[in-house]
Amino acid sequence: MIHSVPSPQPFVILAMPRTGTHYLEALLNDHANVLSNGELLNSYDENWPDKDRLRHSDRELLELAYLRYPPAKKKVTHVGCKINEPQFYDRPGFFDELARWQDLKVILLTRNTLESLRSLVQARQTGQWLKFSPDHNQPPSVSLSVNECEAYFKAADDFHARVKSAFDPSKLLMIEYQDLLLKPSACLAAVLAFLGAPAHKSSNRATIQRQETRSLARSLQNFEELRRHFAGGPYAKFFELDDASAPQG
């Protein structure tokens, strides 16, 4: 499993949960030279044959991701993984170790944070995190408390600020969920150019389906109550947008 020098160029996809990371990764993995191996810090991720890898040190985990990654049936010139913000909690030193990895490029996916939270709560309730075939079933509408919204909004703000401060701007690319789902080809082209990988036209083989097609006002039971509470503040913007129209992840 040890790959010869030169090693592929490393990258990581960072995001809050439910921001389209699975969809972006599927687009990238359609490229002949790009390999993204799922969630490095998720012990249930099937991309990794080493099921005990989380017992390794932070440095050893990164070596596994970028130097001893699972073999692929293509010539890999760019290799990466993805990490969601909550996954850093159990490994408090991992973020800093990641930031020290030489020549690492970072893709930061962002989304309307209220949409992200609503989708996360729905997935926890149903146990369905991904959807690969179309159907007419809608996830349940949910109710969110003011406190959990405030906590989640702050966590997202803090995480985004931490990423922006930890990495040189030339090594950081921000992609908005809304752009990814409305203009996937343009987003993919921007990511590949950022990574330094050859241009590639997507084959549209990504099969991840959207789970929630309703607006926030319809899928969030107490939408109006929350909108009134957050009106006039920094989070009012989350109640003015609705991006529930694309693959989840």
Side-chain angles (χ1 to χ4, degrees), residues 27 80 116 127 208 233:
L27 294 175
S116 170
I208 300 174

Side-chain angles (χ1 to χ4, degrees), residues 85 151-165:
E85 181 264 353
Y152 196 81
F153 295 165
K154 184 179 186 305
D157 283 351
D158 290 348
F159 180 63
H160 295 155
R162 187 181 188 188
V163 172
K164 292 174 187 177
S165 67

Side-chain angles (χ1 to χ4, degrees), residues 3 6-11 31-35 66 69 72 74-80 192 195-198:
H3 295 250
S7 299
Q9 295 296 306
F11 69 90
H31 193 285
N33 306 120
V34 180
L35 177 66
Y66 298 127
Y69 52 91
K74 56 183 176 180
K75 181 181 179 181
V76 178
T77 60
H78 296 76
V79 65
L192 293 176
L195 295 179

Side-chain angles (χ1 to χ4, degrees), residues 72-168:
K73 296 180 180 179
K74 56 183 176 180
K75 181 181 179 181
V76 178
T77 60
H78 296 76
V79 65
C81 61
K82 62 192 189 77
I83 305 172
N84 288 340
E85 181 264 353
Q87 295 170 347
F88 287 106
Y89 292 167
D90 291 335
R91 302 187 75 102
F94 190 83
F95 186 96
D96 292 337
E97 192 70 49
L98 179 70
R100 288 191 289 268
W101 192 266
Q102 187 174 7
D103 298 325
L104 181 71
K105 291 193 174 181
V106 178
I107 303 162
L108 176 62
L109 265 176
T110 62
R111 183 184 184 182
N112 175 351
T113 310
L114 179 62
E115 284 279 359
S116 170
L117 176 59
R118 190 236 31 223
S119 181
L120 178 61
V121 172
Q122 286 176 319
R124 285 173 174 169
Q125 287 189 5
T126 63
Q128 184 175 25
W129 295 88
L130 294 172
K131 182 178 177 180
F132 294 100
S133 59
D135 59 44
H136 298 293
N137 297 325
Q138 294 281 6
S141 59
V142 296
S143 178
L144 303 175
S145 71
V146 167
N147 287 342
E148 67 181 321
C149 286
E150 288 180 337
Y152 196 81
F153 295 165
K154 184 179 186 305
D157 283 351
D158 290 348
F159 180 63
H160 295 155
R162 187 181 188 188
V163 172
K164 292 174 187 177
S165 67
F167 297 96
D168 186 281

Side-chain angles (χ1 to χ4, degrees), residues 169-242:
S170 65
K171 298 293 182 66
L172 175 63
L173 177 68
M174 295 183 63
I175 295 290
E176 168 59 40
Y177 176 87
Q178 183 78 356
D179 292 334
L180 178 63
L181 54 99
L182 294 179
K183 300 177 288 185
S185 295
C187 283
L188 177 61
V191 172
L192 293 176
F194 168 69
L195 295 179
H200 169 75
K201 185 177 181 180
S202 174
S203 66
N204 295 317
R205 287 190 297 221
T207 59
I208 300 174
Q209 304 289 317
R210 65 180 181 266
Q211 296 186 40
E212 178 59 84
T213 59
R214 298 169 296 179
S215 67
L216 271 172
R218 294 182 59 198
S219 58
L220 189 53
Q221 296 170 9
N222 58 334
F223 175 82
E224 290 298 335
E225 172 193 345
L226 292 172
R227 181 160 67 173
R228 287 193 297 271
H229 176 84
F230 289 102
Y235 302 131
K237 59 186 177 182
F238 298 147
F239 297 84
E240 299 167 359
L241 302 174
D242 186 5

